[in-house]
Amino acid sequence: MQRTIKKIGVLTSGGDAPGMNAAIRSVVRTCAYHNIKCYGIYRGYEGIIDGDFVEMGPRSVKGLINKGGTMLKSARSKTFRTKEGRQLAHDNLIKAGIEALVVIGGDGSFTGSMVFNEEYNFPVMGIPGTIDNDIFGTSHTLGYDTALNTVVEVIDKIRDTASSHNRLFFVEVMGRDAGHIALNVGIGAGAEEILIPEEDLGLERLLESLRRSKQSGKSSSIVVVAEGDKIGKNVFELKDYVEENMTEYEVRVSVLGHMQRGGPPSCFDRVLASRMGVKAVESLLEGKSNYMVGIKNDVMDLTPFDQAVKGKSKINKELLRVSDIMST
Amino acid sequence: MQRTIKKIGVLTSGGDAPGMNAAIRSVVRTCAYHNIKCYGIYRGYEGIIDGDFVEMGPRSVKGLINKGGTMLKSARSKTFRTKEGRQLAHDNLIKAGIEALVVIGGDGSFTGSMVFNEEYNFPVMGIPGTIDNDIFGTSHTLGYDTALNTVVEVIDKIRDTASSHNRLFFVEVMGRDAGHIALNVGIGAGAEEILIPEEDLGLERLLESLRRSKQSGKSSSIVVVAEGDKIGKNVFELKDYVEENMTEYEVRVSVLGHMQRGGPPSCFDRVLASRMGVKAVESLLEGKSNYMVGIKNDVMDLTPFDQAVKGKSKINKELLRVSDIMST
Amino acid sequence: MQRTIKKIGVLTSGGDAPGMNAAIRSVVRTCAYHNIKCYGIYRGYEGIIDGDFVEMGPRSVKGLINKGGTMLKSARSKTFRTKEGRQLAHDNLIKAGIEALVVIGGDGSFTGSMVFNEEYNFPVMGIPGTIDNDIFGTSHTLGYDTALNTVVEVIDKIRDTASSHNRLFFVEVMGRDAGHIALNVGIGAGAEEILIPEEDLGLERLLESLRRSKQSGKSSSIVVVAEGDKIGKNVFELKDYVEENMTEYEVRVSVLGHMQRGGPPSCFDRVLASRMGVKAVESLLEGKSNYMVGIKNDVMDLTPFDQAVKGKSKINKELLRVSDIMST
Amino acid sequence: MQRTIKKIGVLTSGGDAPGMNAAIRSVVRTCAYHNIKCYGIYRGYEGIIDGDFVEMGPRSVKGLINKGGTMLKSARSKTFRTKEGRQLAHDNLIKAGIEALVVIGGDGSFTGSMVFNEEYNFPVMGIPGTIDNDIFGTSHTLGYDTALNTVVEVIDKIRDTASSHNRLFFVEVMGRDAGHIALNVGIGAGAEEILIPEEDLGLERLLESLRRSKQSGKSSSIVVVAEGDKIGKNVFELKDYVEENMTEYEVRVSVLGHMQRGGPPSCFDRVLASRMGVKAVESLLEGKSNYMVGIKNDVMDLTPFDQAVKGKSKINKELLRVSDIMST
């Protein structure tokens, strides 16, 4: 099936992630390539409700591919969660002649799109943009690869101090529900232990592991902790617990926070964003709707929104074992 | 089948690549984990012939995961290509009690291992380390992801100058036989055209594309050229050709050269190296030999050396199209 | 006066800073250049007390110039603060034949050296290594320039998120007693306000400034806060205060922490470390003692320890004004 | 004297340099702070001749402080070198109501301003922007500090390869007339030799130094060569010469080229640009003209254009000696 579309709107929603700008650029240029008008919508769904649109041509996205954040800005919209809000949104889109939407964001954003599509049969296509990589239907979300590099570079710096002073550092990284970042940067930065939401290591094993690590001649140690680690203690509580139970280490804490979200995207994220933008627009032109674009085995793929939203991306258990062996 | 091994040797061969050190570290620590002795061999096959070995324990590879280059050094060995050389090598390995080898390198290095294995039935396992990503049997070689980020960052800098002066830049990147780097950094850096060994774009189309690009309002342009591009002109000849045929642009050339090979590995390459080291050692322990470790769909995999050496990794044609659309 | 010295010891003390390794390298190579033996002393003064020395030649410091942290490790020594401790230290130095010391560290480390010199007339020379730049007698301490770049890059990333979400960020940077880092990164990162220990801006002015900033059309804002800011509220209290008194902004906090201390030194710090190492060793050879090496107007200079310790490096008031104008 | 100015124009001219955008931002915001209108002029003097002006307010320079290149673009103008061209330029400025100019550029740009000022008594103020640091009257030009860091990071990468393969690299860096970059990055990257325009090392001494370096146990070497080195051979000729006269090394060449000019400015360059912009605008308001803003001993300073143009910034001879000692 081919769908004739004259105007596509694009928005970013939820937390920002590196590669969102590259995805906007790709949507805009793919529209231009197919002679479709493209409208940028500011501040996510909020911008539809406010009618905050801007026409974008291929030159409007010049110099955008390597910029972090999102030039269209992002916001969480309470109004769009109401029936009245969505009605207003639909009216505004119709008024502006926008016939389909590309939504760049995470789980929550796709749920919004799904509901909107159900109510108004409005063509929507999603692009997964979040550093957490916690979305089902794609091996990589936009921004994840960049965040891994950002975090690994920061922990490299913390390691300089840790090993200069024979210290133990607890480093908290993003990941409320998913340990992808923690697990990969833990291995990448040579962490002694990695605490993630998916696995309950147990406090006893942590102590044991730190003791063994000390005995094996390591003078400093890094423990990477995902925000939502299963042990249920935050990094400051972990510090206290370890200091009470071990005297061998001076313990320090570092909470990396929002910096993990910013910065120029990695080459991988730039290419992925470019591919996803093309796929999203061309899928709409092929008559498809209500899907999230994903990448599987380096091939572009579509996952229905309801599956993407309900499913859960799993961590790679092999990595847990590799981490164990590496901290020998 | 289980093989009892008491000592494993590890070497790096061919051009160095980021992640080689992380792979050495992984081999050493996996050996320690399995209570096997590990010997580092200096300067590739040359070091076997010279008996240049060093025993390595888990603490010898401390602080190594984020270093570029290879601490074991690399070299091309003419002697190992001779029957006498390999005899000497075998004698030295036997004398040192080394019972299996992990070879980190590229095509040429694996051919050497294969021949050695045929002649002496000596257990060998390969880990693909080269920034070019031109090896069959793995979606990623060690160092490739890092090189993409290195190159993209450099072209971002060149872009600053290009767009400040309305210039056209030809940027030569590595890839004598494979366009993987050129194609990905071309998209990632927003290049107007990408010239690779796998595709003959033709000089006419290049000019046409540059003209269209100029007309569409672009004031500056980057053309990424792989060393072995099909057009058969090097970047300096391309510069001359374009200057003779177009007066719209001031043309400049940049040959990125060896810097593409160095630097701290990306998180992806560090994790990949760690996984490959584990897989290589454990495959030897399982009695396997004459394979290259690879990654396919994010799962560790083995490819027989002869297939790895004869095969060719293909570029992703989808990317050519994406590049075209992005330069709209 | 010329002093004949056969062996010099070098140590790092206090918090680590980028450039310390480059300074060690310089001390070692300058000794080699003058045919003097050089001993590395581990863990600061603690290592003298433990007799933890290692002989270092020009090749021992290979590949060290671009490494963060300190290979000699650092520690605070309680024992060295006692008379008995210093007696033991002196005995150990004499036993090892070490005739002079180069101490790389901060205020506290120099005080230790000064006391030691008074008691035993032992030749000592200091090199200022701390990212805070809070030492009198030098325009730059080792690590300061690197830390500025590290912090500015991180705030650039936070800015990506801040401007994508129209947020206000309080970013805490190092500087318990000195606002040098805060003031410079504040200007460098385009902060709206900068809170430092040297100036009491007042909470009212902060609110006023944020309001004006909002009215002038800024959608996001960064406020850089030195650890020891004069207002006397930490970043979390500032967040609460602003949220209670302004509803225009969503406020977030980021405490940068230890990462500010690590990483490869900037070119400036590498060159400075190299120069300081030469100056320290050659000053000892000229018979000088009890001085800190410094840089003033790009010329190497010596400041007596007691002045360096008592004095205070002042912030540049011009920068306060520039910051004000820049946040127009 | 106070001068009443209602409109200031700002332009960038000559080669681009990191920090130019930060300087533009500072000029624009300082104008806003003093309630003066500010006009951006595109493509240097060429833009005056074409009347290519844009009004800029404080929000037009948002997000500009960390961008390389120059948003106002730069060009060399042949027309402005003619009397007729300058007449046209003056007419256009008068027509637009622009009463004073801030020119960000190098020697050549200041000469243009000086002539223009002589002919029309038009108020002009210069800001030195060039990575070469070859301008008299300032210890630092905009972009110089950034370029040092860019180059040092690149040579660190080349070092990875050099030491993995026991190679000798000749690395060509920018500096046709001045060795500042070469001298500082040479020390910062641990180069064995540094060839600069100011000193004739001699080919014999180069060979001797490389031989000594080899004998002292160094397995790899980096020689940094300024474009305009005194020996008068380019890097490729040097390679040939050394290969003919030494067989100990495999020699490689790397010409860094234009990348040295781009990238986000260092913190130092951002602060310097901000300070220079304030000083330039406020000096014009104080009635001054025909000066270049500079920094001396960390204080803002003015140098008459004719001195800035005729003078020459000298290299620091101390660094030659430090380099010598460091390559022990």
Side-chain angles (χ1 to χ4, degrees):
Chain A
M1 188 187 94
Q2 280 292 121
R3 184 188 278 138
T4 316
I5 298 180
K6 288 197 227 75
K7 266 190 210 169
I8 284 180
V10 57
L11 61 83
T12 49
S13 170
D16 64 311
M20 282 189 162
N21 274 327
I24 294 168
R25 172 182 180 268
S26 174
V27 168
V28 170
R29 292 212 169 154
T30 308
C31 285
Y33 182 85
H34 289 289
N35 291 311
I36 300 164
K37 287 203 171 172
C38 186
Y39 275 52
I41 299 168
Y42 285 104
R43 291 166 302 109
Y45 295 119
E46 202 68 15
I48 315 187
I49 286 159
D50 299 347
D52 199 357
F53 309 144
V54 61
E55 190 172 342
M56 298 177 84
R59 293 292 75 69
S60 348
V61 290
K62 191 187 144 186
L64 201 60
I65 196 167
N66 61 356
K67 302 292 178 294
T70 160
M71 64 155 288
L72 291 177
K73 294 174 185 283
S74 183
R76 290 170 213 281
S77 170
K78 282 185 194 159
T79 322
F80 194 73
R81 292 201 191 146
T82 65
K83 242 188 143 45
E84 297 70 32
R86 289 191 297 274
Q87 177 67 56
L88 187 51
H90 188 249
D91 292 351
N92 282 340
L93 291 172
I94 297 300
K95 217 185 305 168
I98 296 173
E99 297 167 292
L101 277 183
V102 176
V103 172
I104 306 168
D107 273 37
S109 316
F110 298 156
T111 307
S113 280
M114 205 165 56
V115 172
F116 191 62
N117 175 269
E118 269 169 38
E119 292 177 351
Y120 297 98
N121 195 24
F122 198 90
V124 286
M125 195 63 55
I127 290 178
T130 160
I131 65 167
D132 290 342
N133 206 36
D134 57 352
I135 296 184
F136 180 81
T138 187
S139 64
H140 292 78
T141 54
L142 285 185
Y144 171 57
D145 182 66
T146 303
L148 294 185
N149 286 327
T150 301
V151 175
V152 143
E153 278 173 40
V154 169
I155 305 186
D156 281 355
K157 289 180 184 164
I158 293 175
R159 171 80 70 184
D160 284 342
T161 285
S163 61
S164 297
H165 291 275
N166 297 352
R167 279 180 187 152
L168 166 64
F169 266 88
F170 286 100
V171 180
E172 188 192 280
V173 303
M174 284 194 169
R176 219 172 287 272
D177 307 306
H180 297 287
I181 292 180
L183 193 48
N184 281 275
V185 302
I187 294 175
E192 273 63 42
E193 281 295 342
I194 304 169
L195 308 184
I196 55 174
E198 289 89 347
E199 291 276 318
D200 191 353
L201 182 71
L203 283 167
E204 244 334 291
R205 215 206 90 166
L206 176 62
L207 288 185
E208 201 184 300
S209 157
L210 291 172
R211 278 192 201 107
R212 206 177 40 227
S213 163
K214 193 77 187 183
Q215 283 156 7
S216 81
K218 289 191 192 178
S219 53
S220 65
S221 287
I222 305 274
V223 176
V224 170
V225 186
E227 282 170 309
D229 85 283
K230 198 73 172 197
I231 284 181
K233 293 196 180 294
N234 71 32
V235 275
F236 296 98
E237 293 163 346
L238 283 170
K239 173 186 190 294
D240 292 345
Y241 180 81
V242 169
E243 285 186 325
E244 277 163 31
N245 290 278
M246 292 182 71
T247 53
E248 294 93 331
Y249 285 108
E250 224 186 313
V251 192
R252 292 286 184 278
V253 158
S254 196
V255 176
L256 300 195
H258 281 85
M259 82 179 67
Q260 297 170 77
R261 288 231 179 119
S266 67
C267 185
F268 178 87
D269 274 329
R270 299 182 193 192
V271 174
L272 182 61
S274 303
R275 295 169 75 180
M276 284 180 162
V278 171
K279 182 70 177 177
V281 170
E282 299 196 334
S283 296
L284 284 169
L285 294 181
E286 287 164 11
K288 298 203 178 77
S289 174
N290 226 13
Y291 286 96
M292 181 193 81
V293 174
I295 183 168
K296 287 183 185 163
N297 310 338
D298 201 32
V299 174
M300 287 292 106
D301 193 63
L302 296 180
T303 300
F305 269 151
D306 57 344
Q307 288 180 30
V309 166
K310 270 184 232 145
K312 186 161 164 43
S313 74
K314 297 225 176 82
I315 56 159
N316 186 340
K317 295 266 179 177
E318 180 210 336
L319 295 187
L320 289 171
R321 195 168 170 266
V322 168
S323 162
D324 244 32
I325 299 176
M326 287 307 102
S327 57
T328 301
Chain B
M1 190 188 91
Q2 281 291 121
R3 184 188 279 138
T4 315
I5 297 179
K6 287 197 226 75
K7 268 190 206 167
I8 284 180
V10 57
L11 61 82
T12 50
S13 170
D16 65 310
M20 281 189 163
N21 273 326
I24 294 168
R25 172 183 180 268
S26 174
V27 168
V28 170
R29 294 213 167 153
T30 308
C31 285
Y33 181 85
H34 289 290
N35 290 310
I36 300 164
K37 287 203 170 172
C38 186
Y39 275 53
I41 300 168
Y42 286 104
R43 290 167 301 110
Y45 295 118
E46 201 70 14
I48 315 188
I49 286 159
D50 298 346
D52 201 356
F53 307 145
V54 61
E55 190 174 340
M56 298 178 84
R59 295 291 76 72
S60 346
V61 290
K62 193 188 142 185
L64 201 60
I65 196 167
N66 61 355
K67 303 289 177 295
T70 159
M71 63 154 288
L72 290 177
K73 293 176 186 282
S74 184
R76 290 169 214 280
S77 171
K78 281 184 194 160
T79 322
F80 194 75
R81 292 201 190 147
T82 66
K83 240 187 147 46
E84 297 70 32
R86 289 192 296 274
Q87 177 67 56
L88 188 51
H90 189 249
D91 292 350
N92 282 340
L93 291 172
I94 297 299
K95 218 184 305 168
I98 296 172
E99 298 167 292
L101 277 182
V102 177
V103 172
I104 307 167
D107 272 38
S109 316
F110 298 156
T111 306
S113 280
M114 205 165 57
V115 173
F116 191 62
N117 174 269
E118 268 169 39
E119 292 177 349
Y120 297 97
N121 195 26
F122 198 90
V124 285
M125 195 62 55
I127 290 178
T130 161
I131 65 166
D132 290 342
N133 206 35
D134 57 352
I135 297 184
F136 179 80
T138 188
S139 64
H140 291 78
T141 54
L142 285 185
Y144 171 56
D145 182 66
T146 304
L148 294 184
N149 286 326
T150 300
V151 176
V152 144
E153 279 174 39
V154 169
I155 306 184
D156 281 355
K157 289 180 183 165
I158 293 175
R159 170 79 69 184
D160 285 341
T161 286
S163 61
S164 297
H165 291 276
N166 297 352
R167 278 179 186 154
L168 167 64
F169 266 88
F170 285 100
V171 180
E172 187 193 279
V173 302
M174 284 195 168
R176 219 172 287 274
D177 307 305
H180 298 288
I181 293 180
L183 193 47
N184 280 275
V185 304
I187 294 176
E192 273 63 43
E193 280 295 343
I194 304 169
L195 308 184
I196 55 175
E198 290 89 345
E199 291 276 318
D200 190 354
L201 183 72
L203 283 167
E204 245 333 293
R205 215 206 90 165
L206 175 63
L207 287 186
E208 199 184 301
S209 158
L210 291 172
R211 276 190 202 109
R212 204 177 42 226
S213 163
K214 193 79 188 182
Q215 283 155 8
S216 81
K218 289 189 193 181
S219 53
S220 65
S221 286
I222 305 276
V223 177
V224 170
V225 186
E227 282 169 309
D229 85 282
K230 198 74 173 195
I231 285 181
K233 291 197 181 291
N234 70 33
V235 275
F236 297 98
E237 293 164 345
L238 282 170
K239 172 186 190 293
D240 291 346
Y241 180 83
V242 168
E243 285 186 326
E244 275 163 32
N245 290 280
M246 292 182 71
T247 52
E248 295 93 330
Y249 284 108
E250 222 186 317
V251 191
R252 291 286 183 279
V253 159
S254 196
V255 176
L256 299 196
H258 282 84
M259 82 178 68
Q260 298 170 76
R261 288 230 179 121
S266 68
C267 186
F268 179 86
D269 274 329
R270 298 182 194 193
V271 174
L272 182 61
S274 303
R275 295 170 75 181
M276 285 181 162
V278 171
K279 182 72 177 176
V281 171
E282 300 196 334
S283 296
L284 284 170
L285 293 181
E286 287 164 10
K288 299 202 177 80
S289 175
N290 226 12
Y291 286 96
M292 182 192 80
V293 175
I295 184 170
K296 287 184 185 160
N297 311 339
D298 200 31
V299 174
M300 286 294 105
D301 193 61
L302 296 180
T303 300
F305 269 151
D306 59 342
Q307 288 180 30
V309 166
K310 269 184 235 148
K312 188 162 162 44
S313 74
K314 299 221 177 87
I315 57 158
N316 186 340
K317 295 267 178 176
E318 179 210 336
L319 294 188
L320 289 171
R321 191 165 175 269
V322 168
S323 163
D324 245 32
I325 298 176
M326 287 308 101
S327 58
T328 301
Chain C
M1 191 187 90
Q2 280 291 121
R3 183 190 277 137
T4 315
I5 296 179
K6 288 198 226 74
K7 267 189 208 168
I8 284 180
V10 57
L11 61 82
T12 50
S13 169
D16 65 310
M20 281 189 164
N21 273 327
I24 295 168
R25 172 183 181 267
S26 175
V27 168
V28 170
R29 295 213 168 153
T30 308
C31 284
Y33 182 85
H34 289 291
N35 290 310
I36 300 165
K37 286 202 171 172
C38 186
Y39 275 53
I41 300 168
Y42 286 103
R43 291 167 301 111
Y45 295 118
E46 201 69 14
I48 315 188
I49 287 160
D50 299 346
D52 201 357
F53 307 145
V54 61
E55 191 173 341
M56 299 178 83
R59 294 293 75 70
S60 348
V61 291
K62 192 187 143 185
L64 201 62
I65 196 168
N66 61 355
K67 302 292 178 294
T70 160
M71 65 154 288
L72 290 177
K73 294 174 186 282
S74 184
R76 289 169 214 280
S77 170
K78 282 183 193 160
T79 322
F80 195 75
R81 292 201 190 149
T82 66
K83 240 187 148 47
E84 296 71 32
R86 289 191 297 274
Q87 177 68 57
L88 188 51
H90 189 248
D91 292 350
N92 283 340
L93 291 172
I94 296 300
K95 218 184 306 170
I98 297 172
E99 297 167 292
L101 278 182
V102 177
V103 172
I104 307 167
D107 272 38
S109 316
F110 297 156
T111 307
S113 280
M114 204 165 56
V115 173
F116 192 62
N117 175 269
E118 269 168 39
E119 292 177 349
Y120 297 98
N121 195 25
F122 199 90
V124 287
M125 196 62 56
I127 291 178
T130 160
I131 64 167
D132 290 342
N133 206 35
D134 57 352
I135 296 183
F136 180 81
T138 188
S139 65
H140 291 79
T141 55
L142 285 185
Y144 170 56
D145 183 66
T146 303
L148 294 184
N149 286 327
T150 300
V151 176
V152 143
E153 279 174 39
V154 169
I155 305 184
D156 281 355
K157 289 179 184 165
I158 293 174
R159 171 78 70 185
D160 284 342
T161 285
S163 62
S164 297
H165 291 276
N166 296 353
R167 279 180 186 152
L168 166 63
F169 266 88
F170 285 100
V171 180
E172 187 193 279
V173 302
M174 284 195 169
R176 218 172 288 273
D177 307 305
H180 297 288
I181 293 180
L183 193 48
N184 280 275
V185 302
I187 294 176
E192 273 63 42
E193 280 296 341
I194 303 170
L195 308 184
I196 54 175
E198 289 88 348
E199 289 276 318
D200 191 354
L201 183 70
L203 283 167
E204 245 333 295
R205 215 206 91 166
L206 176 63
L207 288 185
E208 199 184 301
S209 158
L210 291 172
R211 277 191 202 107
R212 204 177 42 227
S213 163
K214 193 77 188 182
Q215 282 155 10
S216 81
K218 289 190 192 180
S219 53
S220 65
S221 286
I222 305 275
V223 177
V224 170
V225 186
E227 283 169 309
D229 84 283
K230 198 74 172 196
I231 284 182
K233 291 195 181 295
N234 70 32
V235 274
F236 296 98
E237 293 163 345
L238 283 169
K239 172 185 191 293
D240 291 345
Y241 180 83
V242 168
E243 285 186 326
E244 275 162 33
N245 290 279
M246 291 183 73
T247 53
E248 294 92 332
Y249 284 108
E250 221 185 316
V251 191
R252 291 287 183 278
V253 160
S254 197
V255 176
L256 300 195
H258 282 85
M259 82 178 67
Q260 297 171 75
R261 286 230 180 119
S266 67
C267 186
F268 178 86
D269 274 329
R270 298 181 194 193
V271 174
L272 182 61
S274 304
R275 295 169 76 181
M276 284 181 163
V278 170
K279 183 70 177 176
V281 171
E282 300 196 334
S283 296
L284 284 170
L285 294 181
E286 286 165 11
K288 298 202 179 82
S289 174
N290 226 12
Y291 285 97
M292 182 193 80
V293 174
I295 183 168
K296 287 182 185 163
N297 311 338
D298 202 32
V299 174
M300 286 294 106
D301 193 62
L302 296 180
T303 301
F305 268 152
D306 58 343
Q307 288 181 30
V309 166
K310 269 184 234 147
K312 188 163 163 41
S313 75
K314 299 225 176 85
I315 56 158
N316 186 339
K317 297 265 180 179
E318 178 209 336
L319 295 188
L320 289 171
R321 193 169 171 264
V322 167
S323 164
D324 244 32
I325 298 176
M326 287 307 102
S327 57
T328 300
Chain D
M1 189 189 95
Q2 281 291 121
R3 184 188 279 136
T4 314
I5 297 179
K6 286 197 228 76
K7 266 189 209 169
I8 284 179
V10 57
L11 61 83
T12 50
S13 169
D16 64 312
M20 281 188 162
N21 273 326
I24 294 168
R25 172 182 180 269
S26 175
V27 168
V28 170
R29 294 213 169 152
T30 308
C31 285
Y33 181 85
H34 290 289
N35 291 310
I36 300 164
K37 287 203 170 172
C38 186
Y39 274 53
I41 300 168
Y42 286 104
R43 292 167 300 110
Y45 296 118
E46 201 69 14
I48 315 187
I49 287 159
D50 299 347
D52 200 357
F53 308 144
V54 60
E55 190 173 342
M56 297 177 85
R59 294 292 74 71
S60 348
V61 290
K62 192 187 143 185
L64 201 61
I65 196 167
N66 62 354
K67 302 290 178 295
T70 159
M71 64 155 288
L72 290 177
K73 294 173 187 284
S74 183
R76 291 171 212 278
S77 171
K78 281 185 195 158
T79 322
F80 194 75
R81 291 202 191 146
T82 65
K83 240 184 145 49
E84 297 71 32
R86 288 191 297 274
Q87 176 67 56
L88 188 50
H90 189 248
D91 292 351
N92 282 340
L93 290 172
I94 297 300
K95 217 185 305 168
I98 296 172
E99 297 166 291
L101 277 182
V102 177
V103 172
I104 307 167
D107 273 38
S109 315
F110 298 155
T111 307
S113 279
M114 205 166 56
V115 173
F116 191 62
N117 174 270
E118 269 169 37
E119 292 176 351
Y120 296 98
N121 194 26
F122 198 90
V124 286
M125 196 63 55
I127 290 178
T130 160
I131 65 166
D132 290 342
N133 206 35
D134 58 352
I135 297 183
F136 180 81
T138 188
S139 65
H140 292 79
T141 54
L142 284 185
Y144 170 56
D145 182 66
T146 303
L148 294 184
N149 286 326
T150 300
V151 176
V152 145
E153 278 174 40
V154 169
I155 306 185
D156 281 354
K157 289 180 183 164
I158 292 175
R159 171 79 70 184
D160 285 341
T161 285
S163 61
S164 297
H165 292 275
N166 297 352
R167 278 180 187 153
L168 166 64
F169 267 88
F170 286 100
V171 180
E172 187 193 282
V173 302
M174 285 196 168
R176 219 171 289 274
D177 307 304
H180 298 287
I181 291 180
L183 193 48
N184 280 276
V185 303
I187 294 175
E192 274 63 41
E193 281 294 344
I194 303 169
L195 309 183
I196 55 175
E198 289 89 346
E199 291 276 318
D200 190 354
L201 181 71
L203 282 167
E204 247 331 295
R205 215 207 88 165
L206 176 63
L207 287 185
E208 201 184 300
S209 157
L210 291 172
R211 276 191 202 110
R212 205 177 40 228
S213 162
K214 194 77 187 183
Q215 283 156 7
S216 81
K218 290 191 192 179
S219 53
S220 65
S221 286
I222 305 275
V223 177
V224 170
V225 185
E227 282 170 309
D229 86 283
K230 197 76 173 194
I231 285 181
K233 292 196 180 293
N234 71 31
V235 274
F236 297 98
E237 293 163 347
L238 282 170
K239 173 185 189 296
D240 292 346
Y241 180 82
V242 168
E243 285 186 324
E244 276 163 32
N245 290 279
M246 292 183 70
T247 52
E248 295 93 329
Y249 285 107
E250 224 186 313
V251 192
R252 293 286 184 279
V253 158
S254 196
V255 176
L256 300 195
H258 281 84
M259 83 178 67
Q260 297 169 77
R261 288 232 178 119
S266 67
C267 185
F268 179 87
D269 274 328
R270 298 182 194 190
V271 174
L272 182 61
S274 303
R275 295 169 76 181
M276 284 181 162
V278 171
K279 182 71 178 176
V281 171
E282 300 195 334
S283 296
L284 284 169
L285 295 180
E286 287 164 10
K288 299 200 177 80
S289 175
N290 227 13
Y291 286 97
M292 181 192 81
V293 174
I295 182 169
K296 287 181 186 166
N297 310 339
D298 201 32
V299 174
M300 286 293 106
D301 193 62
L302 296 180
T303 300
F305 269 150
D306 58 343
Q307 289 179 30
V309 165
K310 268 183 234 148
K312 189 164 161 45
S313 74
K314 296 222 177 86
I315 56 157
N316 186 339
K317 295 266 179 177
E318 179 210 335
L319 294 187
L320 289 171
R321 196 170 168 264
V322 168
S323 163
D324 244 32
I325 298 177
M326 288 307 101
S327 59
T328 300

